[in-house]
Every structure is written in C-alpha cells, then in structure tokens.
Amino acid sequence: MKATIYHNPRCSKSREALAILNGTPGLAVEVIEYLKTPPSRETLKDLYRRAGMTAREGLRIAEDAAKPLKGTDDDAILDAMAANPILIERPLVVTEKGARLGRPPERVREIL
C-alpha cells in the first residue's frame, strides 16, 4: 500500500505521523513538503472530503493569516490555503482507505 503525507518537517506532530508511516511494514511513503510544493485548491477540497471534514476544520487557526477568515465559507478558506499553504493544518495523510488529519498523529493508523 502507498501513503502520501503532506508534511512540515518543523512540526513535531507531522514528524510523529511520518514516523508511524515509516514504521509500517510494506507501506510505501511519499512525502510532500507542502510549504515547498503546495497542494492545489482542488486537491485540498478532495482531501478534506475524503477525511470527512470541512476546510474550516483543516484551517490552522493559530496563524495570524487565519484571523481574517473568521466567518468566511469553505470556498474562501480553500482559496486562502492554496495561496498561503501555512494555513493548512498538518499533517494530512492519504491512502487508498481514505484521508486523515494526523492530530493526534495516531489517527493516521485508521487508514493503514
């Protein structure tokens, strides 16, 4: 099986999720450093759909750039995330079984 992780190496939760993936026998892991190679708006929309969550739930609200998005709809949030990927909460992991936001990192086991 293959897993793709949208990863920020500076984030401890993202590193923990990557360690879980790398420790799973038989799993091929693709690492995408999303700050260097941001996912498109459509990719994000699909990831959140597969994870059963809204874009708002995937918004990194601790970022100053998220403050102006309070009260906006998911379309505006997706546009902002695509333009400024620091707004994407991490890590996002996707496999053939679905997608998960790895907070806590153990949640990625649900799709392995």
Side-chain angles (χ1 to χ4, degrees):
M1 182 168 37
K2 177 185 173 191
T4 301
I5 181 171
Y6 292 87
H7 177 63
N8 181 342
R10 297 185 64 193
C11 172
S12 64
K13 299 298 182 198
S14 195
R15 290 191 308 268
E16 289 174 36
L18 181 57
I20 290 169
L21 297 176
N22 284 333
T24 302
L27 187 66
V29 181
E30 177 186 13
V31 178
I32 299 174
E33 289 190 35
Y34 70 91
L35 294 176
K36 293 179 181 178
T37 308
S40 70
R41 179 191 193 285
E42 288 307 310
T43 297
L44 285 169
K45 185 176 181 178
D46 183 57
L47 285 170
Y48 294 135
R49 180 193 58 77
R50 291 185 69 194
M53 58 190 290
T54 65
R56 179 163 304 285
E57 293 169 321
L59 179 64
R60 187 163 174 79
I61 58 173
E63 296 295 328
D64 287 339
K67 288 178 177 71
L69 298 171
K70 185 176 182 177
T72 61
D73 63 13
D74 274 7
D75 285 330
I77 292 170
L78 287 168
D79 289 342
M81 288 174 168
N84 189 1
I86 195 68
L87 292 172
I88 301 168
E89 187 64 271
R90 70 246 178 184
L92 281 168
V93 176
V94 62
T95 71
E96 63 193 33
K97 295 181 179 181
R100 291 292 181 273
L101 176 62
R103 290 196 170 261
E106 295 76 22
R107 288 205 62 221
V108 304
R109 294 184 197 281
E110 297 171 4
I111 56 171
L112 297 180

